[in-house]
Amino acid sequence: MTAPQIERIAAAGELEQFHPGEEIVSEGSLGDALYLVLTGQVEVSKHGHPLASLTPGEFFGEMSLVEPAPRSATVLAVEESFVFRLPYFALQNLLEQDPIAFNAVLVQVVKTLSERLRRANQTLSSVGELADWLAGSLV
């Protein structure tokens, strides 16, 4: 991305600060923004069960790129954290004003989603192998 494109994206969002234990987004609330972790650490959980820990450079809320919808998980700050919040409407404006910059953001999101899906598939495969082993050892 070019410097003007980065500046355009930065101007479209806002910097937010969260203290340890503070909720950034709540499961079931309207997901209307993409969040990029700039500093600190945040935890993603569903029904109170931790799913992931995110650190600087990682993001959440990517489903808001498609459409605003209820959040699938809660995200809490584990450490003092700064996040960059990019609202849905700002992403839509970026698509209209600078499709190349929007495409760069979208490609990064797709790469991350692909990596997350690959990890989930590996986990499911491991669980299946464990289930098969347990079933075999019970015979």
Side-chain angles (χ1 to χ4, degrees):
M1 274 199 272
T2 65
Q5 288 171 326
I6 293 170
E7 288 172 6
R8 196 171 295 119
I9 293 169
E14 51 201 29
L15 186 63
E16 295 183 356
Q17 180 180 10
F18 294 91
H19 304 288
E22 193 173 356
E23 191 172 85
I24 300 171
V25 300
S26 177
E27 183 177 347
S29 66
L30 179 63
D32 63 350
L34 170 73
Y35 291 81
L36 173 65
V37 179
L38 300 175
T39 65
Q41 180 180 0
V42 303
E43 179 182 81
V44 181
S45 64
K46 186 165 183 73
H47 305 300
H49 301 289
L51 299 175
S53 179
L54 304 177
T55 55
E58 295 182 290
F59 57 84
F60 58 94
E62 64 278 354
M63 300 309 261
S64 70
L65 285 171
V66 179
E67 65 180 341
R71 296 267 180 213
S72 62
T74 295
V75 180
L76 295 173
V78 175
E79 301 173 353
E80 189 76 19
S81 301
F82 281 93
V83 298
F84 177 74
R85 180 179 182 274
L86 188 59
Y88 170 79
F89 70 85
L91 289 167
Q92 295 310 305
N93 288 340
L94 184 63
L95 173 60
E96 293 173 12
Q97 296 169 2
D98 193 342
I100 293 172
F102 179 84
N103 187 51
V105 170
L106 192 59
V107 166
Q108 187 57 48
V109 168
V110 169
K111 285 180 181 179
T112 299
L113 289 176
S114 176
E115 180 183 323
R116 289 177 184 171
L117 181 58
R118 191 175 302 109
R119 277 186 279 160
N121 285 340
Q122 289 172 342
T123 300
L124 286 174
S125 175
S126 296
V127 168
E129 291 172 13
L130 177 60
D132 290 345
W133 179 81
L134 287 172
S137 68
L138 296 176
V139 175

